[in-house]
Amino acid sequence: MDMETLLSYDWHTMMPEFIIVGFAILLSLLDLFLGKKVDRRKLGWVGFVGVLVAFVSLLFLLPHESTEILFNTFRFDSFGKAFKLLLLVGTMLVFVLAIHDDEKEIQDRGEYYYLFLTALLGAMFMVSSGDLITLFVGLELLSISSYILVAIRKKNRKSNEAALKYVINGGISTAITLFGLSYIYGLTGSTNIQDMSIFIQTGNLESVQGLIGMAFLLTFVGLSFKLATMPFHMWAPDVYEGASTPVTAFLGAVSKVAGFAIVLRLFLSIFGAIPMDEGQSTYLLYMQGFIAVVAAITMIIGNTIALKQVSVKRMLAYSSIAHAGYLLVPFMAFSPFLMDNMWFYLLAYLFMNIGALAVVQVVQRAIGSDHLTSFSGLYKRSPLLAVLLTIFLLSLAGIPGTAGFIGKVHIFLSAFVVEPAHYVLAAILMGTTVISYYYYFSIIQQMFFRQPDKEETIRPQSGLLIVGCLCAVATIVLGIFPFLAYEFFFQYFDVLKDFLG
């Protein structure tokens, strides 16, 4: 590549990524050269500022037209902008949780903070990738950083066990995903997603339907590990429980956003473009039954196993599994409102999940455990924390007046706006939502109707309290005025044009 070509690219469209790279390098250098007596928690604020600056730079880039650079391996389009906003907002909230994480078992504080940045960088490259190679590099950057974050508490047995299970399952999922992507490359002769889509639409693939099916199943199964959908979810409860609470928040919210973004990018661009039935349908629609079965099993098993959990973090892990099943419903239905429904639900889930884990972090720090009984009498020991956690649990349960309710209603309706309607899957969604009330309300019951073991007041750190209040306000505002988020989405993100234009 000559210098003239190199300078002709719109490099400013990668400004958020450049900022994250710069601050990750800065953090690593500061951690290396600062004296041992310097409190490494101050580095957390440097990382927070880096994510904030990247967020502001992305806001300035929102009106910018969609463009591709580096031979269409990096795409700055509406899809990427929409999901990067979620990634950056979620990581900022997680950074505040990490800065106020007082666990003495985390000795390598500098690494702890800049690994969040490298994981975020991998996720951002994933959502903007226009090529299988860069997409896979971003996926592995996110995954490897996450493995280390889970194992950052080196002397904690649960953390070590969680990290081992996560690495083994992650390695298997990576191999399966790569195997599926190799079939796609073999069928099209290209790793560029746009070129692959054009070849698929113009080529005759009727004689290789079996290979297409193999590519679809392998890729979907491999990425299902990342999403923690059934039956590829077994790593999630142990990892959520064994990891530090900020890492759990990152995996449960930010990593999940990245996982669904890569699924949408790959499957809509490739399998959504393969014609079936003489152009009347697509291969993605042809595989609706398979996706529907995975969604149904995920919702049922995730919610039913959560009923027996006594660890709140494990309970939220199974809740996360169930929510992955909910998000598969609009993806399976392939409704005209697919993108806005999934974006809004991920936005709502980001606030309610991180907010709930912020309260869990406060209680776990004060009591020393995340056992369900640790929340007994929380209303008497800290009324504000009890109210905040109640808001998040009601939103996760889908109670009216919260963002979670709006998200679930739109997902439920997405099963009916297509022809034929998916009545069975919608009924399973409603039934499992009712089941989830039991374990969400069991926590509320402990907080308001059980006596605490100690009468000592729990005083949350100011940063955690701010995160909890911000997430609660966002949860309520999006529940009462959801049009604010939808108007913002439709004003700045013409996502369908990225796939159909």
Side-chain angles (χ1 to χ4, degrees):
M1 183 186 299
D2 56 62
M3 185 60 67
E4 184 179 353
T5 304
L6 193 64
L7 295 176
S8 66
Y9 291 133
D10 292 330
W11 290 108
H12 64 282
T13 58
M14 291 186 69
M15 186 57 66
E17 285 80 5
F18 287 143
I19 292 171
I20 297 299
V21 170
F23 273 87
I25 295 173
L26 176 63
L27 276 180
S28 63
L29 292 175
L30 289 174
D31 183 39
L32 179 63
F33 291 109
L34 285 177
K36 294 183 178 179
K37 295 183 180 180
V38 177
D39 187 5
R40 291 299 193 271
R41 280 187 177 83
K42 296 178 181 178
L43 298 180
W45 289 113
V46 176
F48 175 84
V49 170
V51 181
L52 178 61
V53 173
F55 176 76
V56 173
S57 70
L58 182 60
L59 289 180
F60 280 109
L61 289 171
L62 288 183
H64 193 279
E65 293 292 329
S66 297
T67 185
E68 301 90 19
I69 62 174
L70 297 173
F71 301 103
N72 201 18
T73 58
F74 184 90
R75 300 183 63 183
F76 185 77
D77 54 11
S78 295
F79 181 88
K81 289 185 285 186
F83 283 93
K84 281 180 191 177
L85 276 179
L86 301 184
L87 295 173
L88 290 167
V89 170
T91 306
M92 279 192 288
L93 296 173
V94 169
F95 252 104
V96 179
L97 268 61
I99 292 166
H100 293 87
D101 188 4
D102 292 333
E103 291 193 46
K104 296 180 181 179
E105 293 175 318
I106 302 177
Q107 299 174 352
D108 304 302
R109 284 280 168 178
E111 295 179 10
Y112 185 48
Y113 297 131
Y114 63 69
L115 281 169
F116 280 118
L117 292 182
T118 56
L120 171 63
L121 181 65
M124 292 173 70
F125 270 110
M126 282 168 57
V127 302
S128 283
S129 290
D131 192 275
L132 294 183
I133 296 175
T134 53
L135 187 148
F136 186 75
V137 169
L139 176 62
E140 285 308 287
L141 183 57
L142 169 63
S143 299
I144 294 172
S145 300
S146 300
Y147 301 154
I148 304 172
L149 282 170
V150 172
I152 199 75
R153 298 187 298 175
K154 299 176 183 178
K155 297 181 180 180
N156 186 289
R157 289 186 62 185
K158 283 189 175 182
S159 181
N160 292 334
E161 179 187 352
L164 181 62
K165 291 180 178 179
Y166 195 21
V167 168
I168 292 173
N169 281 277
I172 294 171
S173 71
T174 297
I176 295 173
T177 303
L178 194 58
F179 195 22
L181 295 179
S182 69
Y183 272 102
I184 301 172
Y185 167 71
L187 289 169
T188 60
S190 174
T191 59
N192 187 278
I193 295 176
Q194 190 174 47
D195 293 343
M196 295 163 72
S197 179
I198 294 172
F199 177 86
I200 285 169
Q201 293 177 51
T202 57
N204 184 8
L205 300 178
E206 293 182 2
S207 59
V208 290
Q209 292 295 320
L211 292 177
I212 294 174
M214 185 67 70
F216 179 92
L217 291 174
L218 287 171
T219 307
F220 188 82
V221 167
L223 294 176
S224 292
F225 279 94
K226 306 295 182 185
L227 303 178
T229 57
M230 293 290 296
F232 318 107
H233 71 291
M234 295 306 295
W235 60 271
D238 293 317
V239 170
Y240 277 50
E241 183 183 21
S244 63
T245 305
V247 177
T248 301
F250 184 87
L251 296 177
V254 180
S255 185
K256 187 175 288 292
V257 170
F260 274 100
I262 190 175
V263 166
L264 289 171
R265 174 77 82 181
L266 269 180
F267 285 83
L268 292 182
S269 298
I270 299 173
F271 297 103
I274 300 177
M276 296 288 291
D277 299 329
E278 298 181 353
Q280 299 301 312
S281 181
T282 66
Y283 196 84
L284 187 59
L285 292 174
Y286 180 72
M287 296 299 290
Q288 275 184 327
F290 173 79
I291 301 173
V293 170
V294 173
I297 296 175
T298 301
M299 289 186 286
I300 293 170
I301 301 299
N303 281 306
T304 52
I305 297 182
L307 298 174
K308 290 293 185 180
Q309 302 305 312
V310 293
S311 164
V312 173
K313 287 174 72 174
R314 287 184 73 89
M315 187 184 296
L316 291 175
Y318 282 105
S319 167
S320 175
I321 293 167
H323 282 273
Y326 300 150
L327 283 162
L328 284 178
V329 174
F331 176 66
M332 178 280 309
F334 203 58
S335 73
F337 315 108
L338 167 64
M339 287 297 179
D340 48 307
N341 283 349
M342 292 191 70
W343 184 84
F344 181 88
Y345 197 90
L346 286 168
L347 175 65
Y349 183 76
L350 185 146
F351 285 122
M352 55 194 181
N353 189 60
I354 293 179
L357 286 167
V359 178
V360 171
Q361 181 172 329
V362 175
V363 174
Q364 192 172 16
R365 173 175 172 267
I367 308 297
S369 171
D370 70 325
H371 195 279
L372 188 60
T373 55
S374 300
F375 293 80
S376 298
L378 183 61
Y379 180 71
K380 293 184 178 180
R381 301 186 66 179
S382 180
L384 179 57
L385 286 180
V387 171
L388 290 176
L389 186 55
T390 300
I391 292 172
F392 302 132
L393 293 173
L394 292 178
S395 185
L396 287 166
I399 300 300
T402 63
F405 171 75
I406 301 296
K408 280 188 179 178
V409 166
H410 289 167
I411 284 178
F412 178 77
L413 294 176
S414 69
F416 294 101
V417 297
V418 294
E419 186 64 37
H422 303 279
Y423 297 104
V424 175
L425 199 61
I428 293 173
L429 190 154
M430 289 295 296
T432 53
T433 297
V434 174
I435 292 173
S436 72
Y437 292 167
Y438 180 87
Y439 60 85
Y440 288 132
F441 280 86
S442 66
I443 303 176
I444 297 175
Q445 181 188 40
Q446 291 287 335
M447 291 192 297
F448 291 93
F449 302 107
R450 294 290 184 269
Q451 292 299 319
D453 295 332
K454 299 179 181 179
E455 297 293 335
E456 183 182 353
T457 302
I458 296 178
R459 300 186 184 280
Q461 294 168 297
S462 57
L464 296 178
L465 193 60
I466 291 172
V467 168
C469 291
L470 284 175
C471 290
V473 170
T475 299
I476 294 174
V477 168
L478 292 177
I480 300 176
F481 308 107
F483 63 87
L484 296 175
Y486 280 105
E487 285 183 356
F488 179 81
F489 182 86
F490 290 119
Q491 180 179 355
Y492 290 104
F493 311 130
D494 189 5
V495 178
L496 289 178
K497 184 180 178 181
D498 297 333
F499 294 96
L500 304 177

